[in-house]
Amino acid sequence: MNGLQVRDVAVERGGVPVLAGVSFDVAPGEALILRGPNGVGKTTLLRMLAGLQPPLAGSVGMAADSAAYASHADGVKATLTVQENLAFWAAVHGKALSDEVFGWFDLERLASRMAGALSAGQKRRLGLARLAVLGRPVLLLDEPTVSLDTASVALFAGWLRGRHLAGGGLAVIATHIDLGIAAPELDLSAFRAGPDAQGGSDEAFL
């Protein structure tokens, strides 16, 4: 793949422009950290990159079917075990489920436990483990460490750095915490657009 190229992109939510003139490149093996206050448009930008909504303007270049988007939802099936959840996603995407995935996300002892009985942090680790199962080279991550304790944040960052990025993948990450990953940061505050550029009543959902 040739990485991700974003050129002069504008995005909206609910018909209201929130960002304009956003441009950046992320090469294979690199990450980009999106910063900015709540409501600035980080989630909206990631959703646009994932193809969940079109841009108002500009262009996005990446290989077809190369991206995986992880939002605040864990996306786990409560009535399946941890192992069955990962096996399901592997089968849907025609992948083999490697036993290594369980170790990368500290899920070995939980493999036979029903997902609905997991704690919030354990569900989050299971949700993030899907990214390793899918094997998509472009990861679009919206606050991926929500509900994780310090040790689990380090575990996820270690996988992201040592497996995904080291293997030639790339990531665009919206986060308020330090993941310990050497990556440039892009503050989206400089790209506010529209009449509610200083924040509006629905800013929690941007």
Side-chain angles (χ1 to χ4, degrees), residues 70-142:
S71 67
H72 301 101
D74 297 316
V76 303
K77 296 183 177 297
T79 57
L80 299 181
T81 66
V82 167
Q83 194 278 336
E84 289 169 341
N85 266 276
L86 294 180
F88 169 81
W89 285 107
V92 166
H93 291 270
K95 303 286 186 178
L97 177 58
S98 170
D99 289 340
E100 289 184 301
V101 174
F102 296 90
W104 294 339
F105 294 89
D106 192 22
L107 295 171
E108 303 101 323
R109 294 172 297 173
L110 303 173
S112 61
R113 186 175 299 182
M114 301 300 291
L118 299 177
S119 71
Q122 291 167 341
K123 287 179 182 177
R124 193 60 175 173
R125 294 206 312 272
L126 174 56
L128 292 173
R130 290 183 302 150
L131 300 174
V133 171
L134 300 183
R136 294 287 180 91
V138 178
L139 296 185
L140 306 170
L141 308 176
D142 192 0

Side-chain angles (χ1 to χ4, degrees), residues 1-7 9 24-26 48-49 58-64 66 138 170:
M1 61 169 294
N2 297 315
L4 170 65
Q5 301 85 38
V6 175
R7 295 288 179 270
V9 156
F24 58 81
D25 292 89
V26 188
M48 184 278 298
L49 294 175
S59 64
V60 176
M62 75 173 89
S66 63
V138 178
L170 66 87

